Amino acid sequence: MIYADYAASSPMTERALAVLTGTARNLWGNPSSLHQAGQDAHDVMERARRQCAGLIGAESDEIFFTSGGTESDNLALRGVNADCIITSSIEHPAVLRTAEDLARHGTAVTVLPVSEGGAVCAETLGNALAGAHGRVLVSVMLANNETGVIQPVRELARTAHAHGAVFHCDAVQGAGHIPTDVNAIGCDLMSVSAHKLGGPRGIGLLYVRRGVKIDPILTGGGQEHGLRSGTESVPLIAAFGEACEEASRSMDAECARLGALRDRIASELLRLGDVRRNGVGNCLPGILNLSFGGVGGEALTLMCDLRGLAVSSGSACHAGDETPSHVLAAMQVPAEYRSSALRISLGHGTTDDDADGIVQTVTEAVTMLREMSS
Ligand code: PLP
């Protein structure tokens, strides 16, 4: 099987897996316990916190572990207690559905459009901020999970701050794949998830800049300095730390390697004709979104699967969901191309041979489906 669905979930790296199993076997103490077993677990957790902080240029006391990207986004959006939330039409449902829920409870929510290229514009944000009142939270992702389009988050954060707003960045797809620095971006809050960068599922973090006020959404034992109650999963946290450190180390080389593979796959598949590339320009190196005219995205995904290639017809959240992508709709992609989109996403285990296999399998599947429908 060729796995080309890293944006849905990445296989763990060997090192992260070794740390996960080793920690689970040897460090079962509760990190809040005073005895040696607890303190040993605590030390491992704090080392991982430093490794995670290192990936995004944060201080370790600004890192709060959560169960993943969804919880981090919820904590950011709900914990700020904003009177007004401004977000974008291409955000992940973890942000969009949360904003909708808050709107039902009285928060004013504005959802910004994006350009046809799939990016949020700082001027549009500025206009929305000019009409916003009270405590305002702006939430825009670092890079889109369907198209890979990198957002101008520095400029957006600057615009948000010029209006006194708090800026949250959902970096779940970008962190670990492109240089991501909370100070260079200037964000107040950032969400990161381990399973998108070679770590395990069920663990993520919220970065909270010192001095930014945020309330917990869970009540309980007061772990994570009271911001996220619940006994910490030390094995997951330790493996997350390891994956972050590995990602920091290999990032430059992986960016170049995956970007070259992505471009080769794109140029070969574009030769099929009537193929549209969704999201061009400044994109993540590992994500390629193509629409194949005359072919249903679901059928194409299933046909590829039958031939041993795991890809996605959009985000994992859309699989089995007939609703066309809200991201492609926001980018004004014509309806027939929205329903024929395929997301190919590459990662640390993708080889040159895999790239050849992806081209061959997608070519065969598209050709066969086009023949069947003509
Ligand atoms: N934000 C983005 C941009 C994502 O792509 C995802 C997952 O696909 C999430 C949030 C949710 O992360 P998790 O699966 O860790 O809950």
Side-chain angles (χ1 to χ4, degrees), residues 7-8 67-71 73 92 94 141 143-145 170 172-173 193-196 203 317:
S67 64
T70 301
E71 186 187 329
D73 287 345
H92 188 271
M141 64 199 338
N144 184 261
N145 48 301
D170 175 345
V172 167
Q173 289 292 340
S193 178
H195 75 108
K196 308 291 186 178
I203 187 76
C317 315

Side-chain angles (χ1 to χ4, degrees), residues 269-321:
L269 290 179
L270 282 164
R271 285 206 213 122
L272 282 170
D274 196 12
V275 182
R276 185 191 158 105
R277 186 165 178 180
N278 303 309
V280 279
N282 197 16
C283 290
L284 290 178
I287 295 187
L288 175 64
N289 191 311
L290 297 172
S291 293
F292 298 89
V295 171
E298 291 276 327
L300 182 54
T301 305
L302 293 174
M303 184 72 90
C304 289
D305 186 41
L306 284 174
R307 290 161 182 264
L309 170 64
V311 284
S312 163
S313 56
S315 69
C317 315
H318 287 290
D321 175 355

Side-chain angles (χ1 to χ4, degrees), residues 350-367:
T350 311
T351 62
D352 279 11
D353 286 349
D354 289 342
D356 294 338
I358 292 167
V359 171
Q360 188 185 336
T361 306
V362 175
T363 301
E364 286 170 7
V366 169
T367 308

